[in-house]
Amino acid sequence: MAVENAVLTVADVQKSFGGLRALSEIDLQIERGKTHAIIGPNGAGKSTLLNVCVGRIPPDEGAVVFKGQVITGKKPHEINQMGIARVFQTPEIFADLTVLQNVMVPAYAKRDGAVKFTLFHGMDKDTDIRLEAEQILMDLGLADKRHDDADSMSRGDKRRLELAMCLVQHPDLLLLDEPTAGMSRLDTNRTIDLLKSIKERGMTKVIIEHDMHVVFSLADKVSVLAQGRIIAEGTPDEVRANPKVQEAYLGGAH
Amino acid sequence: MDTTPSKNAPLSETERVGPAAKEKSVFYRTSGRIATQLPPRGPEMAPLWPPKADIFMTIVFSAVVLTMPLWLQPFGAAYPDLMQRFAIFGIFAIGFNILFGLTGYLSFGHAAFLGVGSYAAVWSFKLFSLNIIPAIIMAVVIAGALAVAIGFVSLRRSGIYFSILTLAFAQMCYNLAYSVLTPITNGETGLRVLSDDPRIIDAIFGTNEVPVPRAELFGISMQGMPGFWTSAVFLIAAFVVALLITRSPFGMMLRGIKSNQVRMSYVGFNTRPYTLMAFVISGMYAGLAGGLLAVVDPLAGAERMQWTASGEVVLMTILGGAGTLLGPFLGAVLIKYFENIFSALGDTTLRSMLEFIPEGLRDTAIAIISPFVGDGWHLTLGVLFMLVVIFMPGGLIEGFRRIGRLFTGGGRKKENG
Amino acid sequence: MDALIAQFLNGLDKGAAYALIALGLTLTFGTLGVVNFAHGALFMLGAFCAVLTAQVLSLESVTLDPTKLTPWGTPTEIRTTYAELYLGDFGAFITDYSIFIAVLVTIPIMLAIGFAMERGLIRYFYKRPHAEQILVTFGLAIVLSEIIKASFGANPIPVSAPEALRGSADIGAFLGLDMFINYPIWRLVYFLAAAIIIAAVFAFLNLTTYGMVVRAGMQDRDTVQLLGININRRFTLVFGIAAAVAGLAGALYTPIVPPHYNLGMEFLVLSFVVVVVGGMGSLSGAVAAGFLLGIVQSFASLAEVKAIIPGIDQIIIYLIAVVVLLTRPRGLLGRKGVMES
């Protein structure tokens, strides 16, 4: 079952909270350049799994390996510096900064590392950062809003901004936690288009989602999580045809 | 005037109708299409804020500071002692704002750095030289070192924990200054420069025999106006440094930390060194202010480290407007001005001032006002504190901005401050 | 050995004061989510309730006795307290026991002050940033202490314990130990009173349904609100209780340390440290840490200890706080994530 060019490998991970088994015997290989969706009914352990993947929650057993390095127990900024960017379920942006600055901040982190003091250096000299940020904003259709306060934007725009903040770093792996949660059908479709468009950049993506429409439009591979276990894995069509999945998820939830 | 200047930068014409605007909505109509057009480059790319505005602000600020002896005349505040305090507490507040205004970390212990700066400067006067240069260097370096130690521990927590920890450390310094460290601080009497101090550097040049030891700069005594000019020059320098820091990537990171620290770490920043750096810089500003207090009056006492002093700088900053560049200085001037006026008012002065009120009411008026003046100045300070926080959490600069917005037609979000 | 026991006992009364203040602080943190920098001022106000009671009860009427002349040839002044004048021996008795009358006076006054503070000011700050809560209560603390300074002066005002409780007792004999430990009786009274108050607060929170809702609110405010419980009334009451506890702690402390207007801030800083050490949001942590730090501080003031590390008594509490924060950031008994950011 080993995948040749796996970017992220989750090996035999177990996690319990108190007496509750949140994750058991999780094995996952995220293939380079592919979009991998993790689906499952509410409470299946999707968010826990994502948090384990970014090192936020240490697993009781097993390990998470990214590009040959164990990332379990590392701090969020170290994991980001290794090349993992994350989009949160509710947009986490810098509300007090302008849209452009919101994108420039991660660009600096990518260029200068986790700590670099540039106290007396005008930002206008960093044209490379600026151009990069402007380009991403243009790609995501936010260019005309770049001098607005990030806080003044609509929720959908904030989510696009958060995506821009991740894309500007050209991460090796992009984690998306329910990118369409709480969106209207129109906004959902727009987001799907957006994510499809960045697929062309060859970025590896992991999407946590329970909207099947989103999953089947985007994913190359789907893992189905139920009660803390992976019950099925395969292409969207394979998973759709799997009776176990229909029983656990499709039948139960819809 | 604003630390988020880029918002204020008016969009240039090229920007407004440039490729960016044309690009709008193309994205949605052709789903998934990625624009390949590059944004404007080089001279076409408008700077994040007009550099001219900063230069203009610096010039105006310097002019206002250097002409204080003129325009403060009508207010009866144009005497050196008070103007020195305006400049020195302006430095203190500007430095405090680098921490509180940019990162949002509310320290309640900055008076400790002010006090330590004063002690360090006086010791430099005693041990090395009456020249202010080594004294200022000592004050800044030692306050900075203390800030590294206190910041290292306090910044392990955020929010109220941080405020409590800084308050506790300041109280600890205050207690120590009054007890065990008496050999260094001279306890309640305060540390002063004596004519028979060693002053080894002065001794080398044979200038250590002075009847009354006073701080000096190559022969210019720091008493009176020269003391003010020195403080004013330091104030302007402090302002320019704060301006540069605010405009630098570092300043943007600090505001990012204030805005969303979790996001900061998830985009790959190790935030603690940034907050520590901001803490140390503001501690050094406080040390500089403390050193200057000793320069204009070579005496240091522990009361400078009391919690009320820490609270005062917080008040200056929020009264003027935390996070703004000019606000802290404005707040410092106002607080020190009113302190000067109010604490000098006694019942007799009050009585003569209120002569226009009919006899019967006058006593009532005096009874109401007198607890707030003279020794009761701190009561006024406390009331002011509450009023500012309750009604004007953005401070005066924010208030002016709102008033300005009323006059210029309100609706525009990008109003200039 | 007896010196150690004496020092331990000395720590108890200070620890009791820390515990009482920290208890109120934690209660308001946990339930209301408000950081009250004026909490120390409430302790100080309680102390001045006792001062005021003692002053009122010792108001004197002066009569002149022309039959007896002083060495200066003027009639002797006879001073009698009004209480004695109107109530006779009982009046003299209540003047002597004014501190207990003060307790009866303090509770309603401090409850009223607490209610007024919560209704008039704190309520509007529940949704505002912590920094603004800190600032506004800090301003209030200045205002309160300055009002006291303006009315009572800046100097400490001694309040005496009732005559019967003024001396010292031999605790050694009382505890059945074969040693002589001299211990001021009032400090024992203070410790006992603190124990009763703490027990009463815990009983209220754990045994009454009203209190259990408050505790549930500390765990999860939103859910409690969803249950349709009027949480606002309870918040007011909780704030009043916290104020009353702090006030009682202050009132009863007056015979130990003469109160002055700045007393509140001194105790506040230490009580905050106590809360941090005990663990934010943990009531039992606050009480335990209060006593622990009081006792540790008492031992650090031993001459033998100070000879080894000079000034240790001044900073020991802060040092403990630093060590606890570096090794166990949540505090001894704290819950995760309470009042962070």
Side-chain angles (χ1 to χ4, degrees), chain B residues 5-234:
Chain B
S6 50
K7 290 187 298 188
N8 298 333
L11 286 175
S12 72
E13 214 46 39
T14 42
E15 271 186 305
R16 231 176 258 152
V17 295
K22 268 186 254 156
E23 158 63 18
K24 187 191 176 186
S25 76
V26 166
F27 184 72
Y28 285 149
R29 270 189 268 119
T30 66
S31 71
R33 196 187 79 92
I34 298 246
T36 46
Q37 200 165 11
L38 279 173
R41 278 175 184 283
E44 271 179 82
M45 192 164 76
L48 286 170
W49 49 83
K52 274 182 195 156
D54 281 354
I55 296 168
F56 178 70
M57 184 155 68
T58 310
I59 291 172
V60 170
F61 180 80
S62 311
V64 166
V65 169
L66 293 175
T67 55
M68 278 208 297
L70 296 176
W71 62 264
L72 282 176
Q73 290 279 3
F75 301 97
Y79 53 95
D81 180 51
L82 186 57
M83 290 192 300
Q84 284 162 2
R85 266 183 286 155
F86 289 164
I88 291 169
F89 282 92
I91 295 173
F92 192 17
I94 287 172
F96 183 78
N97 186 49
I98 291 177
L99 180 70
F100 178 54
L102 294 185
T103 68
Y105 276 75
L106 173 59
S107 161
F108 259 101
H110 261 51
F113 306 123
L114 186 83
V116 165
S118 285
Y119 283 125
V122 173
W123 271 108
S124 163
F125 292 142
K126 288 168 86 68
L127 291 179
F128 306 124
S129 166
L130 283 174
N131 193 310
I132 64 167
I133 293 171
I136 294 288
I137 293 171
M138 277 266 285
V140 172
V141 168
I142 291 182
L146 183 71
V148 171
I150 292 181
F152 181 79
V153 179
S154 310
L155 287 165
R156 294 182 153 252
R157 312 311 307 276
S158 58
I160 52 155
Y161 285 92
F162 173 78
S163 300
I164 294 166
L165 274 173
T166 47
L167 179 62
F169 276 116
Q171 281 299 93
M172 182 163 113
C173 293
Y174 176 70
N175 286 347
L176 285 177
Y178 265 132
S179 57
V180 204
L181 296 180
T182 314
I184 300 174
T185 61
N186 208 15
E188 273 178 62
T189 337
L191 189 67
R192 46 177 74 245
V193 183
L194 304 170
S195 47
D196 58 349
D197 284 329
R199 290 197 283 279
I200 47 177
I201 297 177
D202 285 359
I204 295 170
F205 295 100
T207 55
N208 63 333
E209 296 294 327
V210 283
V212 187
R214 296 205 187 291
E216 48 90 34
L217 181 65
F218 306 119
I220 308 164
S221 165
M222 285 295 133
Q223 287 284 299
M225 283 310 280
F228 164 69
W229 296 123
T230 311
S231 312
V233 168
F234 275 109

Side-chain angles (χ1 to χ4, degrees), chain B residues 108 156-158 160-161 164-165 168-169 172 175 179-180 306-307 311 314 378 382-383 385-386 389-390 393, chain C residues 35 121 128 132 134-135 138 140 142-143 146 262 265 272 280 311 314-315 318 322 325-326 329 338 340-341:
Chain B
F108 259 101
R156 294 182 153 252
R157 312 311 307 276
S158 58
I160 52 155
Y161 285 92
I164 294 166
L165 274 173
F169 276 116
M172 182 163 113
N175 286 347
S179 57
V180 204
Q306 225 183 346
W307 59 273
V314 181
H378 276 112
V383 171
F385 211 120
M386 291 178 67
V389 181
I390 294 170
Chain C
V35 195
L121 181 73
R128 292 184 51 179
E132 287 178 13
I134 293 175
L135 289 169
F138 183 81
L140 184 64
I142 297 180
V143 170
E146 288 299 317
N262 220 351
M265 201 34 90
F272 265 132
M280 204 71 83
Q314 299 283 335
I315 57 168
Y318 307 106
V322 168
L325 278 176
L326 292 185
V338 178
E340 278 284 345
S341 94

Side-chain angles (χ1 to χ4, degrees), chain B residues 209-283:
Chain B
E209 296 294 327
V210 283
V212 187
R214 296 205 187 291
E216 48 90 34
L217 181 65
F218 306 119
I220 308 164
S221 165
M222 285 295 133
Q223 287 284 299
M225 283 310 280
F228 164 69
W229 296 123
T230 311
S231 312
V233 168
F234 275 109
L235 171 63
I236 292 166
F239 176 79
V240 171
V241 169
L243 180 75
L244 290 175
I245 287 177
T246 310
R247 300 294 191 239
S248 69
F250 175 72
M252 184 168 73
M253 304 321 162
L254 295 186
R255 282 187 291 130
I257 289 170
K258 180 183 186 179
S259 190
N260 191 340
Q261 189 153 7
V262 174
R263 209 353 140 192
M264 268 317 257
S265 56
Y266 274 95
V267 299
F269 279 108
N270 186 1
T271 53
R272 204 175 286 161
Y274 283 88
T275 48
L276 182 60
M277 189 69 169
F279 190 83
V280 172
I281 291 172
S282 73

Side-chain angles (χ1 to χ4, degrees), chain C residues 172-239:
Chain C
F174 178 72
L175 293 176
L177 295 170
D178 189 20
M179 55 186 81
F180 178 72
I181 299 166
N182 206 17
Y183 192 68
I185 300 172
W186 186 256
R187 290 179 182 236
L188 268 185
V189 173
Y190 191 82
F191 173 69
L192 288 177
I196 292 169
I197 295 169
I198 292 168
V201 171
F202 274 84
F204 168 75
L205 289 175
N206 289 303
L207 302 179
T208 65
T209 31
Y210 206 91
M212 280 196 253
V213 172
V214 170
R215 274 204 313 148
M218 283 178 84
Q219 303 286 334
D220 188 346
R221 191 156 17 145
D222 296 336
T223 311
V224 171
Q225 240 155 348
L226 281 178
L227 294 173
I229 291 164
N230 181 354
I231 205 85
N232 282 342
R233 288 241 310 271
R234 275 158 222 262
F235 280 0
T236 314
L237 182 75
V238 165
F239 201 88

Side-chain angles (χ1 to χ4, degrees), chain C residues 113-128:
Chain C
I113 290 178
F115 292 158
M117 254 176 87
E118 201 272 342
R119 288 271 157 117
L121 181 73
I122 306 291
R123 165 159 301 180
Y124 304 100
F125 278 80
Y126 289 150
K127 294 271 154 67
R128 292 184 51 179

